[in-house]
Amino acid sequence: MNILLLGGTTEASALARTLAGQPWQATLSLAGRTREPVPQPIPCRVGGFGGVAGLAAYLRENRVDALVDATHPFAAQMIRHAAAAAAETGTPLLRIDRPAWTPREGAVWHRVATMQEAADALGLAPRRVLLTVGQKDLGPFTAAPQHAYVVRSIDPPAAPPPGALVLTARGPFLEADERALLQEHRIEVMVSKNAGGTATAAKLAAATDLGVPVVMVERPVLPAGLATVATAAEAFDWLARHAGTLRRE
Ligand code: NAP
């Protein structure tokens, strides 16, 4: 069996570790966004495929038997492309989608649908804001320069809001450290994507403990009808079940 695993997430790395011990061929695909990706135990390819047509060609040329889409819940374009290319080529597709976070008792969440709505939700009065939304979606905050921003991302953003303090760090994060971060920078409101998972969830617990409200950007709508599991372990079970039945032209 030849597997293409679309990665860039904790779940993809976990599945890659499991696949490394199997008698299957598996390749992990990364977009190439982070400067120093976590080392992986299976072969990696890096960079876009060139849209749906490029991914479909890759699936055909490399005789891929199963496509596992373990990209981030906010990687909406890649998710759509994977669904379209799998349908076009008849490649079995499984999506790993970790459950979204839900507010714990006492949490104050302001749910929004887009990054622009998140920036708008901060209001006109200056506030001290922690942005934990990655490095590529910061434009709406640049257009709201009255706030004092602390931006935390894996790599420094190319265009942070003017005057922002940039902190580079990669999860997982501990709750005590997240509480210290909020206190040290006197954060009044946090902005987060509803990424789900455990690696970066501690910030939400810390915010609740300290009474810091969270502007939560909810997930983009994904294509309907995708076969989906929540964990790398379930994805492995799916692959094992399909190992004997997958297409081989
Ligand atoms: P995106 O906007 O959905 O995708 C943009 C383009 O990047 C895709 O059309 C594809 O290019 C390429 N691409 C994305 N993921 C790829 C992969 N795993 N392998 C090869 N090409 C890929 O994606 P994004 O939101 O920028 O995310 C990029 C990567 O970062 C993904 O691997 C994702 O899992 C990871 N990530 C994203 C977030 C987030 O908040 N968005 C957070 C953590 C990690 P072509 O059309 O040329 O094929």
Side-chain angles (χ1 to χ4, degrees):
M1 181 161 66
N2 185 12
I3 300 160
L4 177 63
L5 171 58
L6 303 176
T9 57
T10 311
E11 289 74 17
S13 297
L15 183 56
R17 282 194 296 277
T18 308
L19 292 176
Q22 298 302 316
W24 300 328
Q25 191 181 325
T27 303
L28 176 66
S29 175
L30 299 173
R33 298 281 190 275
T34 48
R35 288 182 192 170
E36 290 180 37
V38 178
Q40 297 291 338
I42 61 174
C44 282
R45 64 160 302 286
V46 179
F49 295 93
V52 176
L55 178 55
Y58 181 98
L59 294 172
R60 284 195 190 97
E61 283 161 20
N62 293 279
R63 300 175 64 81
V64 172
D65 297 306
L67 176 60
V68 179
D69 172 9
T71 56
H72 191 271
F74 280 75
Q77 180 165 304
M78 190 68 247
I79 296 167
R80 281 195 303 273
H81 286 188
E88 187 181 318
T89 57
T91 308
L93 167 66
L94 181 71
R95 167 137 185 90
I96 305 180
D97 215 8
R98 55 199 178 202
W101 291 317
T102 52
R104 145 186 143 186
E105 195 180 335
V108 178
W109 281 19
H110 183 104
R111 297 173 193 249
V112 297
T114 65
M115 215 50 77
Q116 183 60 58
E117 286 180 23
D120 294 345
L122 297 175
L124 296 177
R127 300 169 88 183
R128 298 188 60 79
V129 183
L130 176 62
L131 294 180
T132 60
V133 293
Q135 47 181 292
K136 71 168 192 174
D137 298 317
L138 299 174
F141 303 101
T142 297
Q146 70 273 30
H147 304 299
Y149 295 104
V150 176
V151 179
R152 182 175 69 188
S153 52
I154 294 178
D155 289 321
L165 172 65
V166 173
L167 304 174
T168 54
R170 193 197 298 263
F173 300 106
L174 298 175
E175 189 176 331
D177 294 337
E178 298 293 64
R179 209 178 300 120
L181 175 74
L182 294 173
Q183 287 174 318
E184 182 186 341
H185 298 286
R186 293 174 287 115
I187 297 300
E188 295 170 303
V189 57
M190 177 196 298
V191 184
S192 171
K193 289 175 174 171
N194 197 336
T198 54
T200 59
K203 64 184 174 184
L204 302 177
T208 305
D209 287 350
L210 296 174
V212 173
V214 176
V215 177
M216 184 64 78
V217 184
E218 294 299 346
R219 296 175 171 195
V221 177
L222 301 184
L226 294 180
T228 302
V229 295
T231 64
E234 290 171 282
F236 177 76
D237 291 345
W238 181 89
L239 287 167
R241 278 199 305 278
H242 280 68
T245 59
L246 292 176
R247 175 184 63 106
R248 168 70 70 195
E249 285 168 2

